[in-house]
Amino acid sequence: MILTVTLNTALDITYRVRSLRPHSSHRVSDVAERPGGKGVNVARVLAALGHEVTVTGFAGGATGEVVRDHLSAVPGLTDALVPVAGATRRTIAVADELTGDTTQLNEPGPEIEPAEWGAFLDRYEELVAGASAVALCGSLPPGVPVGAYAGLVRTARSAGVPVLLDTSGEPLRRGVAARPDIIKPNADELAELTGSHEPLRATQDARRRGARAVVASLGAAGLLAVTPEGRWRAAPPAAVRGNPTGAGDSAVAGLLSGLLEQLPWPDRLARAVALSAASVRSATAGEFDRTAYEELLGRVAVSGEFSAA
């Protein structure tokens, strides 16, 4: 079982309009509603790949109930969310059909009370004991300690369970120091962590700060990985137009599934890039175009070397 942690779960709502224009009224052509938050997106992709996955984090209010109802319909996915008094947030994506661009509006999460955080820690410790891998993903809702991910990384490492961390800012800085097996920042998050805007230098610096392996997302340019086994770049065969929301989460799912299947790093990265590109072609985060994925998988360009990085 793969465990994904989403402390700031969401209900993702996507509106499609013909053309998004500021200061104008718009007629919505389609509305899609899905459970969201980075770890939830990762879990849904993993489940679609055939893995057994458990989702934990927080859910509250009427929005939280809608999220849980959606999760109950996903084959292979187990809901272990901890109930809270506050309402789960919503994220609004407005997809412009004319340009292919998406505008994102993210609500803040609910205030987490100390007793609720304690209940989550108890649940997490129980779940980690039966997990084959853990993904810690996304932002922290109000009330959760800024060093929360560092503690969750240490709990997983103490249980001998590999852990991937995908967050940003101070939670990432503190989490890296706890020595996660993999971190997956994007270029901006990596630069904020290390102070360097040169991807290879920044990725190597992030490893020195504690991460065993660093896989940096470079947007349309693909992934850069620096690991104990070597370093590689992986890129899609061409730029992909569509909704980029959740593309990084699909990459995380590819990395985790490749880890559990003991694939060599180039194959893990090819899978992650293909899934990421195929998710851009999907209308909503947490889903991917399977036909596009299978077609892209064999065309991802991976270059690098097997040697200590």
Side-chain angles (χ1 to χ4, degrees), residues 5-8 56-61 68 80-88 109-125 141-145 148 152:
V5 175
T6 311
L7 297 177
N8 213 2
T56 192
F58 299 109
R68 302 188 84 157
L81 293 169
V82 175
V84 294
T88 294
E111 181 81 28
I112 304 301
E113 299 297 329
E116 295 168 338
W117 177 239
F120 167 79
L121 291 176
D122 291 342
R123 177 71 59 85
Y124 176 74
E125 190 168 350
V144 172
L152 300 182

Side-chain angles (χ1 to χ4, degrees), residues 47-283:
L49 291 171
H51 291 277
E52 295 294 322
V53 59
T54 295
V55 170
T56 192
F58 299 109
T63 309
E65 287 302 315
V66 174
V67 167
R68 302 188 84 157
D69 286 344
H70 282 301
L71 290 176
S72 68
V74 180
L77 189 150
T78 299
D79 171 5
L81 293 169
V82 175
V84 294
T88 294
R89 66 191 178 120
R90 297 168 297 176
T91 66
I92 311 297
V94 183
D96 186 320
E97 295 175 344
L98 189 62
T99 65
D101 294 332
T102 300
T103 300
Q104 190 84 12
L105 303 173
N106 297 327
E107 295 181 352
E111 181 81 28
I112 304 301
E113 299 297 329
E116 295 168 338
W117 177 239
F120 167 79
L121 291 176
D122 291 342
R123 177 71 59 85
Y124 176 74
E125 190 168 350
E126 293 171 2
L127 292 169
V128 165
S132 53
V134 175
L136 307 172
C137 304
S139 61
L140 302 179
V144 172
V146 70
Y149 281 135
L152 300 182
V153 168
R154 286 191 287 267
T155 297
R157 286 181 54 82
S158 296
V161 179
V163 56
L164 183 152
L165 177 62
D166 184 12
T167 187
S168 61
E170 189 62 21
L172 175 59
R173 189 180 307 278
R174 298 197 186 194
V176 167
R179 306 186 67 81
D181 294 271
I182 306 171
I183 63 169
K184 196 215 68 63
N186 62 32
D188 290 340
E189 293 162 351
L190 189 61
E192 183 182 8
L193 174 66
T194 65
S196 173
H197 290 272
E198 199 290 306
L200 180 57
R201 179 181 302 169
T203 305
Q204 291 171 323
D205 183 36
R207 274 205 72 211
R208 287 191 290 269
R209 292 168 183 261
R212 178 173 172 80
V214 180
V215 180
S217 175
L218 306 179
L223 299 175
L224 169 64
V226 177
T227 81
E229 291 79 20
R231 62 192 188 195
W232 295 271
R233 289 180 183 266
V240 180
R241 294 291 298 273
N243 181 6
T245 307
D249 305 329
S250 293
V252 168
L255 294 172
L256 281 175
S257 63
L259 169 68
L260 293 184
E261 295 171 31
Q262 299 183 325
L263 297 180
W265 270 103
D267 292 343
R268 297 186 206 179
L269 296 170
R271 177 180 292 182
V273 168
L275 279 171
S276 180
S279 72
V280 171
R281 294 189 183 179
S282 179

